[in-house]
């Protein structure tokens, strides 16, 4: 079992950067692949990216080369650095975790409460 708490959301302008953080409460953080998802108003939740315990990453095409996921196994945290933000990045962003090494967007077991990111154009 793992509990996830996101932080760092807010309102920024297009072109700005923002960094989200997720703190995981678990004694076995290395056992989990960590991911980020987002859900825009009126849309389904979509996969943003994921990182394995040994920092292998996978990103959605829509955020490649703009977003970067970092992981600190000593602090049980994962971060999402978002650069060159666009209005279409506006969404609630969720941290997620699952056991194992699968980086894909399916079968995520644990979710944070979400943090709002709003980009003004």
């Amino acid at each position: 079992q793992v509990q996830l708490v996101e932080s760092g959301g807010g309102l920024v302008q297009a072109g700005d950067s923002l960094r989200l953080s997720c703190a995981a409460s678990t004694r076995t953080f290395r056992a989990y692949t960590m991911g980020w998802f987002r859900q825009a108003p009126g849309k389904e939740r979509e996969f943003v990216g994921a990182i394995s315990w040994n920092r292998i990453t996978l990103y959605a095409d829509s955020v490649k080369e703009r977003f970067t996921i970092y992981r600190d196994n000593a602090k049980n945290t994962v971060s999402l650095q978002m650069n060159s933000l666009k209005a279409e990045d506006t969404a609630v962003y969720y941290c997620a975790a699952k056991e194992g090494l699968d980086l894909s967007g399916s079968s995520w077991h644990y979710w944070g409460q979400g943090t709002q990111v709003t980009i003004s154009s």
Side-chain angles (χ1 to χ4, degrees), residues 47-105:
F47 175 76
V48 172
I51 186 167
S52 67
W53 71 272
N54 55 350
R55 301 182 179 85
I56 297 171
T57 55
L58 176 68
Y59 296 99
D61 288 343
S62 59
V63 305
K64 274 183 183 177
E65 298 184 12
R66 296 191 301 124
F67 290 12
T68 305
I69 298 176
Y70 298 96
R71 178 181 185 133
D72 188 332
N73 288 329
K75 296 182 178 179
N76 285 15
T77 59
V78 62
S79 301
L80 178 65
Q81 177 66 42
M82 305 184 290
N83 298 328
S84 302
L85 283 162
K86 306 175 182 179
E88 50 263 44
D89 294 319
T90 294
V92 177
Y93 282 71
Y94 297 90
C95 178
K98 61 178 173 180
E99 296 174 328
L101 300 175
D102 177 20
L103 294 172
S104 72

Side-chain angles (χ1 to χ4, degrees), residues 4-11 18-22 36-40 78 80 82 89-95 111-118:
L4 305 172
V5 179
E6 303 98 336
S7 61
L11 171 64
L18 195 63
R19 189 176 181 112
L20 306 182
S21 294
C22 174
W36 287 95
F37 289 74
R38 66 185 182 184
Q39 187 167 20
V78 62
L80 178 65
M82 305 184 290
D89 294 319
T90 294
V92 177
Y93 282 71
Y94 297 90
C95 178
W111 297 87
Q113 82 287 353
T115 186
Q116 177 69 47
V117 172
T118 304

